[in-house]
Amino acid sequence: MLKQCLLRPQTVAFVMNQTPIRSSCHLARLGSTRRSLWRTFSSTNNNDDVNNDNKPRLSVAVVGAGPAGFYASKYLTSSVLKRITQSTSSGDDDDDTHSTPFGFSGIDIDLIERLPTPYGLVRYGVAPDHPEVKNVENDFAALFNKQGESQNSSINFYGNVDVGKQIPLSKLQSLYDVVILAYGCQAADKRLNIPGEDTLEGVLSAREFVAWYNGHPEFQHIGPIVERCLWKKKSNTTNDDDITETSISPARVVVIGQGNVALDVARVLAKGKPGLIDTDTPTSVLNVLKGGVSHVSVVGRRGHVQGAFTIKELRELTKLDKEGHNVSFVVRKEELEMGMTDASMEELKGPGGRPKSRIDKLLQDNAVEEDAQSTDAEKSVEIRFLLNPTQLAPHESNLSKVGHVLCERTRLEGDPGKQRPVGTGEMEELPADLVLVSIGYRGMPLEGMEELDFFDSSSSTVVNEHGKLPGENNLFVTGWIKRGPTGIIGTNIMDAKDTVKSVMNYLETSVPVAGVESQGRDGLNDHLGAHDVKVVDWNQFLRIVSAEIDTTRLRSEAQPREKILAVSEMLNAAQR
Amino acid sequence: MLPRGVISAARAAQIGCKRSGFKLSSVFANTCVSSQTLGNNKQIRWHGDGPGPDAPTVQLTFVNPDDSETKISARVGETLLQSAHRTGVEMEGACEGVCACSTCHVILEQDMYDDLLDKMEDEALSEDEEDMLDMAFGLEQTSRLGCQITVTEGMDGAVISLPKATRNFYVDGHKPTPH
Ligand SMILES: Cc1cc2nc3c(=O)[nH]c(=O)nc-3n(C[C@H](O)[C@H](O)[C@H](O)COP(=O)(O)OP(=O)(O)OC[C@H]3O[C@@H](n4cnc5c(N)ncnc54)[C@H](O)[C@@H]3O)c2cc1C
Ligand code: FES
């Protein structure tokens, strides 16, 4: 049966039609194709499998354990298992496609993650006051908890393993039948490219700020910077002793950009310790935020109809006061009016206009005339439209620190859906003790990937067609690094299904271009062992979780967990 | 059917969630951690298992994204999300049924949509559900969230569609059609 599969006409055609081979690496892999298909079970696999013919199990490496990596693992496992069932129940099945043989008897996935902990931005991006969004961690964990339900599938977690640094991508390609890149866009930021961006203290990206308040082990150095910006001594008015843990910071924060991340950041700053006490925000972070910040402005260069935020996050801001957070929400009537060009009206009516119209209504209902605030709230979050930051200017009394954001008033020009902000020459200066740039995360190539032509630096994503990388290779991609840093957790479901379809297609129509070594998991273990990598497996991760929920660490019964903030401490907990 | 006066755990949690702010939310997160800690096969979910096997059932047909159909017996009193999970219909429920993710998006027949709307307070969807639908992929006139619909006896024979994945969705992002 296997031979048949190998020599199927379409298989041969595929091999002959291949595009010119581009690297010696590909050559090596092509040469080994047949051997790898005949590979026997690796020792980690269950030998008394129900499928006791000699077919190999599909070995898959997934790089990155965020939503994209988990959804791809989940759907690839179910697709392969379904396909195996169909191929074994041939004969009495009328449907032709169901009875064609399949080259594999099972699937083994290794989920490789550079941090000791899985879940990507669900753990280190999603705001701590959105615990219900983090519920998806349960769904992901179920993949491991359900281990053993089918002997035909397995999944292992390799935490604390950085692909590129600790194992080259090319090595993974040669060990596994299929490699899926799902490493996200957390390594860099889009840039404003304006003066002051790189030189002044107190200018941070929202990515760094978010990672800090979520306890990401690599961003804890951000805390002291934030602290200096929020609590700098105001010469003679305040002295340190007057600052208590619920003091409201007199600082002004300007958030540049108007996506959901910008709104998250503004809300967290405004809520401060009282509003976040029952969440998993680290205690060290709450001690910096204290009573919250008195004035946060969220600035965008386009109008409210073009904002990238969604209504749920916006509505949350409008309700902060009502929910007792002592924070008013301010949006200026005249800025809404300025943004209501004929083209904006068209955008509200056009396809995709429903969410925009509902946002428009919400903002109109909350809009105030300039300076006509009607609440007693001590803190405010203001959303400002049609202001383009052109320069970050230093503070008068400390030239190394940021003090102002210079903005140019814009107006919208262009057709519906294509309106651009155009400068009007009118300037406005926003005072700022801290500036958070929130104009987008940016994908980066994995170490060693640059020379492979797989990375499109203009879009900062991995080049692909429906998740398959171009050329003769066993590489696939999914999630943010495939489509760019947009969309909600659910968007990664459709995305993973798209990639999994391409993987299945590849398995059906081509000779898998698996590696020279093709030992899958055993080969990975050997490599990591030889390089002394301290791998965190799933059970060890669960020990980290146990340590984080140990009651002696918690502020109160309501606090879900106190995250461990250093990798070394995580590794200690994992060994316990 | 659930005894009179008893609402499903999921519903109760939803209501609680809305009314009591973070207190309950953090309970969710706690549960989430403990189910991992146990590391056992049986997931402990805060919304429990819904009505038991003795509950009356109705027949529902799910139309999958690939147009194949799955016929299931849904228990009266459970949510469509629970019915789908119990019977293996491929519907995600990332936030576990608390109206915070839109992954349980379903498209109803007009009649069923109207009937459900008629029975709601103000004959309108909740603001929370509308807000989440705004983020749903492939929005239609009769879109709802599966976790917000409780199965009733009147639903027997209903056909429920799961949104279709068009292969180029990630190129143009999510563009819901007007409501
Ligand atoms: C601040 C913020 C808040 C958000 N809030 C919400 C929300 O409330 N609701 C919602 O639905 N969506 C939210 N999102 C969107 C959601 O988080 C993303 O859609 C999703 O996380 C993308 O998944 P991903 O797996 O592609 O990337 P990621 O989640 O970034 O996962 C990638 C993983 O790969 C790992 N990795 C990176 N490099 C390597 C390497 N070299 N080797 C091995 N592993 C590597 C990373 O450590 C990470 O764990 C938010 C996003 C952000 C930034
Ligand atoms: S399961 Fe999350 S909205 Fe229904």
Side-chain angles (χ1 to χ4, degrees):
Chain A
M1 198 201 256
L2 186 62
K3 223 171 208 152
Q4 235 175 25
C5 154
L6 258 174
L7 300 175
R8 291 206 304 276
Q10 88 230 53
T11 307
V12 175
F14 180 88
V15 173
M16 303 212 340
N17 279 342
Q18 68 211 352
T19 44
I21 293 157
R22 290 194 294 179
S23 74
S24 57
C25 173
H26 290 146
L27 246 184
R29 281 201 307 279
L30 271 174
S32 72
T33 301
R34 274 148 209 238
R35 198 150 32 94
S36 104
L37 250 189
W38 288 100
R39 174 168 42 91
T40 49
F41 294 123
S42 79
S43 59
T44 43
N45 296 336
N46 207 325
N47 276 324
D48 34 64
D49 206 278
V50 282
N51 246 312
N52 47 11
D53 54 18
N54 280 335
K55 287 182 193 172
R57 292 163 70 104
L58 180 71
S59 64
V60 182
V62 176
V63 181
F70 272 99
Y71 281 125
S73 302
K74 177 171 171 173
Y75 287 112
L76 184 57
T77 302
S78 64
S79 295
V80 165
L81 292 182
K82 203 163 145 195
R83 187 62 185 82
I84 290 169
T85 318
Q86 285 168 352
S87 72
T88 50
S89 66
S90 58
D92 40 295
D93 210 317
D94 291 342
D95 193 339
D96 227 23
T97 56
H98 286 193
S99 51
T100 49
F102 185 59
F104 299 92
S105 62
I107 173 169
D108 299 306
I109 296 183
D110 292 334
L111 188 51
I112 309 174
E113 164 61 50
R114 61 189 291 270
L115 294 172
T117 51
Y119 308 140
L121 285 168
V122 177
R123 184 177 161 104
Y124 290 125
V126 171
D129 56 345
H130 287 167
E132 62 291 344
V133 176
K134 296 189 194 240
N135 280 349
V136 72
E137 290 181 3
N138 288 336
D139 183 46
F140 296 156
L143 224 60
F144 285 90
N145 298 340
K146 283 198 288 200
Q147 284 262 43
E149 267 181 24
S150 163
Q151 292 188 341
N152 291 351
S153 71
S154 75
I155 181 164
N156 273 12
F157 178 66
Y158 286 84
N160 201 35
V161 178
D162 192 314
V163 174
K165 288 206 173 69
Q166 285 157 317
I167 181 164
L169 179 59
S170 56
K171 177 82 179 173
L172 283 184
Q173 278 184 270
S174 78
L175 287 175
Y176 289 86
D177 295 318
V178 166
V179 178
I180 302 179
L181 304 174
Y183 64 88
C185 294
Q186 284 187 60
D189 302 290
K190 291 202 181 104
R191 297 171 43 82
L192 286 166
N193 293 319
I194 60 174
E197 192 177 9
D198 297 320
T199 47
L200 296 172
E201 189 183 64
V203 181
L204 296 170
S205 72
R207 177 183 64 100
E208 297 168 297
F209 184 76
V210 164
W212 165 66
Y213 71 57
N214 267 313
H216 192 300
E218 287 157 359
F219 292 86
Q220 294 312 299
H221 60 284
I222 298 297
I225 303 174
V226 176
E227 180 152 40
R228 281 198 293 280
C229 295
L230 298 189
W231 301 104
K232 66 167 185 225
K233 259 196 223 157
K234 284 247 161 142
S235 48
N236 38 29
T237 47
T238 29
N239 70 48
D240 275 351
D241 303 339
D242 296 339
I243 300 175
T244 69
E245 56 169 22
T246 52
S247 296
I248 293 173
S249 162
R252 293 182 159 252
V253 180
V254 174
V255 183
I256 300 176
Q258 292 185 328
N260 282 336
V261 177
L263 301 194
D264 274 356
V265 160
R267 190 181 68 253
V268 164
L269 277 165
K271 276 187 174 180
K273 189 169 185 172
L276 298 169
I277 189 84
D278 289 342
T279 71
D280 69 358
T281 316
T283 302
S284 58
V285 171
L286 295 186
N287 289 344
V288 170
L289 296 179
K290 299 197 169 63
V293 174
S294 63
H295 196 280
V296 184
S297 305
V298 184
V299 179
R301 62 200 172 117
R302 299 187 296 172
H304 70 285
V305 179
Q306 293 79 32
F309 43 74
T310 53
I311 193 162
K312 184 180 171 249
E313 275 69 20
L314 188 66
R315 195 185 301 282
E316 229 179 323
L317 285 182
T318 67
K319 284 182 172 171
L320 286 177
D321 200 25
K322 222 188 295 164
E323 287 175 355
H325 292 290
N326 194 14
V327 181
S328 63
F329 173 74
V330 184
V331 54
R332 302 181 184 198
K333 246 195 179 89
E334 65 274 18
E335 286 187 341
L336 298 184
E337 279 159 18
M338 280 188 267
M340 269 306 194
T341 57
D342 290 347
S344 293
M345 300 284 226
E346 284 301 310
E347 286 170 23
L348 290 182
K349 282 186 252 153
R354 174 195 131 118
K356 288 180 189 300
S357 305
R358 298 185 69 239
I359 286 173
D360 173 53
K361 179 164 187 314
L362 179 65
L363 286 170
Q364 303 284 0
D365 290 349
N366 280 277
V368 293
E369 307 287 349
E370 192 168 7
D371 297 331
Q373 269 205 44
S374 58
T375 84
D376 317 325
E378 292 174 270
K379 299 177 275 185
S380 69
V381 171
E382 180 172 26
I383 186 157
R384 300 289 313 268
F385 298 103
L386 299 165
L387 285 179
N388 184 29
T390 54
Q391 190 191 340
L392 307 179
H395 199 272
E396 295 84 25
S397 60
N398 181 347
L399 295 178
S400 64
K401 283 183 93 168
V402 71
H404 303 272
V405 180
L406 243 83
C407 296
E408 182 176 13
R409 171 64 75 199
T410 63
R411 63 163 181 273
L412 296 172
E413 277 182 10
D415 293 337
K418 293 182 194 131
Q419 294 191 86
R420 302 229 138 262
V422 179
T424 62
E426 184 192 328
M427 302 301 289
E428 184 170 340
E429 199 178 76
L430 306 176
D433 300 292
L434 173 66
V435 174
L436 297 171
V437 182
S438 183
I439 56 172
Y441 287 48
R442 186 159 62 92
M444 295 291 279
L446 282 181
E447 222 171 272
M449 208 161 111
E450 292 90 339
E451 66 268 26
L452 290 175
D453 262 9
F454 290 150
F455 201 78
D456 176 358
S457 38
S458 61
S459 63
S460 300
T461 53
V462 170
V463 183
N464 74 92
E465 198 173 322
H466 294 302
K468 170 80 185 74
L469 271 67
E472 301 306 315
N473 58 56
N474 54 356
L475 288 173
F476 296 82
V477 62
T478 189
W480 269 20
I481 196 60
K482 170 186 176 187
R483 65 174 198 277
T486 58
I488 54 175
I489 291 168
T491 320
N492 301 296
I493 296 173
M494 300 291 197
D495 200 339
K497 285 183 177 174
D498 180 60
T499 296
V500 164
K501 207 165 170 177
S502 297
V503 175
M504 294 308 288
N505 200 31
Y506 165 80
L507 296 176
E508 301 282 357
T509 59
S510 60
V511 179
V513 190
V516 215
E517 305 170 83
S518 70
Q519 306 124 328
R521 188 171 292 163
D522 287 346
L524 180 66
N525 289 338
D526 287 349
H527 177 94
L528 298 175
H531 290 79
D532 243 0
V533 181
K534 292 194 182 67
V535 178
V536 172
D537 68 21
W538 190 257
N539 282 324
Q540 288 172 321
F541 160 61
L542 294 179
R543 279 187 218 141
I544 297 176
V545 172
S546 304
E548 291 185 334
I549 60 171
D550 189 310
T551 48
T552 58
R553 279 178 73 85
L554 301 182
R555 297 186 283 270
S556 67
E557 260 178 48
Q559 187 193 357
R561 60 185 163 192
E562 176 73 32
K563 287 180 185 167
I564 298 177
L565 305 179
V567 168
S568 57
E569 208 186 315
M570 287 182 194
L571 296 182
N572 285 340
Q575 295 309 322
R576 252 171 249 149
Chain B
M1 208 195 317
L2 285 169
R4 247 171 76 89
V6 177
I7 48 173
S8 78
R11 192 70 201 147
Q14 271 158 23
I15 299 163
C17 163
K18 277 179 204 156
R19 299 223 174 114
S20 68
F22 17 77
K23 217 43 189 205
L24 223 114
S25 310
S26 47
V27 174
F28 299 160
N30 253 331
T31 318
C32 119
V33 173
S34 62
S35 67
Q36 283 174 359
T37 323
L38 296 171
N40 53 11
N41 289 345
K42 194 166 178 296
Q43 273 285 291
I44 297 174
R45 298 235 164 171
W46 62 269
H47 56 51
D49 292 329
D54 300 339
T57 60
V58 293
Q59 299 304 306
L60 299 180
T61 302
F62 281 90
V63 181
N64 300 310
D66 64 359
D67 282 332
S68 65
E69 291 189 353
T70 311
K71 293 193 190 311
I72 66 153
S73 287
R75 294 174 186 166
V76 170
E78 67 187 357
T79 65
L80 280 186
L81 176 67
Q82 287 172 319
S83 317
H85 278 188
R86 198 172 43 72
T87 57
V89 172
E90 213 174 72
M91 184 195 291
E92 291 288 344
C95 75
E96 306 192 329
V98 291
C99 201
C101 72
S102 81
T103 60
C104 62
H105 175 201
V106 292
I107 298 150
L108 306 180
E109 296 166 300
Q110 192 73 49
D111 286 356
M112 181 177 177
Y113 182 86
D114 293 344
D115 279 356
L116 285 169
L117 218 55
D118 286 347
K119 289 185 195 117
M120 298 184 79
E121 241 177 88
D122 308 330
E123 300 188 10
L125 303 189
S126 73
E127 198 171 79
D128 283 353
E129 188 172 350
E130 290 277 18
D131 286 0
M132 285 319 303
L133 281 171
D134 273 359
M135 291 191 224
F137 171 74
L139 193 68
E140 301 268 344
Q141 298 276 355
T142 56
S143 286
R144 289 288 312 269
L145 295 178
C147 69
Q148 302 299 304
I149 300 174
T150 307
V151 176
T152 61
E153 263 138 358
M155 287 182 191
D156 198 31
V159 178
I160 296 147
S161 301
L162 301 175
K164 298 235 178 332
T166 57
R167 277 207 116 195
N168 65 350
F169 80 96
Y170 59 91
V171 177
D172 47 23
H174 95 112
K175 283 192 180 154
T177 51
H179 202 60

